[in-house]
Amino acid sequence: MKIRNIELKNPFVLAPLAGITDKSMRTLCAEQGASLVYTEMVSGKGLWYGDRKTGSLLAIGENEGPVAFQLFGSEPEIMEFAAKELRERENVLLDLNVGCPVPKIVKNGEGSALLKKPELLFDVVAAMVKAAGKPVTAKIRMGFAQGENLAVETARALEAAGAAAVTVHGRTREQYYDGKADWQVIADVKKSVRIPVIGNGDVNTGEDAVAMMEQTGCDGVMIARGALGNPWIFRDAQALWKGEDKPPAPSKGERILMLIRHLDMVAEDKGERIAVREMRKHVGWYVRGMHGASAIKREINQIDDIGIMRETIRSIIK
């Protein structure tokens, strides 16, 4: 897949996930084959006001491969400023979030609220393109209200504004993550624009990723929840895409060792106290399907010490 001058080694990319796709998560997925990884959502206003926490979200690790910064905001002047601020950073592109369904984002007119204002969306993307000095893309949902389908007209507006690619999630804002993603919407957008189209929604296995490409004709696949506790999904998708046999599933021991490594990476990056708190959710994802998973999660949620957490995780292998 190629996005302007960026040539990616395969079509499978890690989605931006708030509170999840930090430096450690992105590195592990890149090692398993993700050709492009996205940061958590970064506030354009946060950059405008020089917020320290916003700046910390932009740190890129040594082994992440190509990184995309995902920004959210709805004011052209602020988003132009943000794009200009990030012009010299090591990220390969900027992505505008036009899909976040979270109420506090939507109430501010940001995220999926922009689907209701195509003229404003055009102005925001055009302003970013003008200042970025690198490709600007956007991630959209198929519509805002239940049953609404604005994907084609939104994608065309983005293309006209200078966007270099569009990611399409086949759900509306009101669906959040319920129901089934409509892959036909992705196919319709692909037929309607000349820029690359990346599909998103209900990709939980390597087989799903390849099926989405075959069924929609999309240029790439963005994997979100399917990567939680499972960075190996990128390895699987890439093998199947190349026509190779799917690699054996990671053993219980391999999953636990990856989890411990993930914990240690977050601790090194953010400190032990934060790592213990943030990794509780990841433990649940890594042990999913294992015998006694519910009991493991309950026990981990009571632990505040990283040493005890590490030993408790190790004991799962025995």
Side-chain angles (χ1 to χ4, degrees):
M1 181 169 62
K2 198 169 184 181
I3 301 174
R4 293 275 162 83
N5 60 330
I6 305 163
E7 193 156 352
L8 303 176
K9 62 185 179 182
N10 67 62
F12 309 111
V13 306
L14 174 67
L17 295 166
I20 296 170
T21 53
D22 58 11
K23 191 193 302 183
S24 302
M25 175 74 171
R26 298 194 306 263
T27 298
L28 293 175
C29 290
E31 288 177 357
Q32 292 298 322
S35 63
L36 179 66
V37 294
Y38 287 67
T39 63
E40 303 171 63
M41 289 196 309
V42 176
S43 168
K45 285 180 181 175
L47 290 166
W48 177 269
Y49 291 112
D51 177 65
R52 190 184 308 169
K53 186 178 179 183
T54 299
S56 69
L57 294 174
L58 300 169
I60 296 177
E62 291 181 11
N63 302 311
E64 292 189 48
V67 177
F69 289 159
Q70 190 184 65
L71 305 182
F72 69 96
S74 59
E75 297 168 62
E77 181 186 7
I78 288 178
M79 298 310 287
E80 181 178 349
F81 170 85
K84 195 175 293 182
E85 280 289 290
L86 300 174
R87 191 180 178 100
E88 302 305 320
R89 295 284 191 129
E90 294 178 15
N91 63 303
V92 296
L93 62 82
L94 296 179
D95 186 72
L96 177 67
N97 184 296
V98 194
C100 180
V102 176
K104 68 177 182 180
I105 300 290
V106 172
K107 283 176 185 176
N108 286 334
E110 300 165 338
S112 56
L114 281 169
L115 293 168
K116 300 193 290 185
K117 297 182 177 180
E119 296 87 0
L120 176 59
L121 175 58
F122 178 95
D123 290 343
V124 169
V125 172
M128 290 175 67
V129 169
K130 175 183 171 185
K134 58 188 72 173
V136 172
T137 64
K139 183 175 187 288
I140 69 172
R141 283 184 173 237
M142 65 182 285
F144 191 88
Q146 189 75 26
E148 188 175 60
N149 187 353
L150 306 171
V152 168
E153 63 187 84
T154 304
R156 284 175 172 163
L158 290 167
E159 182 177 39
V166 59
T167 299
V168 182
H169 183 168
R171 286 184 174 88
T172 64
R173 181 266 172 174
E174 290 188 357
Q175 275 184 274
Y176 274 66
Y177 302 100
D178 293 335
K180 189 176 180 182
D182 187 344
W183 288 8
Q184 183 58 47
V185 172
I186 301 167
D188 292 342
V189 172
K190 175 59 187 170
K191 292 172 186 172
S192 303
V193 295
R194 295 182 300 276
I195 56 177
V197 174
I198 301 169
N200 176 233
D202 292 350
V203 178
N204 298 308
T205 65
E207 287 87 349
D208 290 339
V210 174
M212 177 179 275
M213 294 193 72
E214 291 174 345
Q215 291 178 32
T216 69
C218 63
D219 302 282
V221 174
M222 181 177 280
I223 300 173
R225 289 177 292 169
L228 300 178
N230 184 28
W232 299 277
I233 190 172
F234 294 98
R235 176 199 67 179
D236 294 349
Q238 189 172 183
L240 293 167
W241 172 66
K242 290 179 177 177
E244 300 169 356
D245 291 336
K246 182 179 175 180
S251 66
K252 180 180 179 181
E254 287 174 316
R255 288 162 69 183
I256 295 305
L257 289 174
M258 181 72 86
L259 172 54
I260 292 170
R261 183 172 171 228
H262 196 159
L263 170 65
D264 290 342
M265 289 171 72
V266 176
E268 183 178 352
D269 186 36
K270 302 178 182 179
E272 294 184 358
R273 185 176 61 84
I274 294 175
V276 168
R277 188 171 70 243
E278 290 194 357
M279 284 301 294
R280 288 171 181 159
K281 60 189 176 226
H282 287 279
V283 171
W285 294 321
Y286 275 98
V287 304
R288 188 168 41 200
M290 290 185 188
H291 178 70
S294 296
I296 293 166
K297 287 188 283 185
R298 282 196 300 271
E299 184 176 2
I300 287 294
N301 285 339
Q302 306 304 313
I303 295 173
D304 292 315
D305 178 83
I306 194 169
I308 296 174
M309 178 176 275
R310 194 181 290 113
E311 288 310 310
T312 301
I313 294 169
R314 276 206 186 97
S315 71
I316 300 170
I317 305 177
K318 299 172 184 175

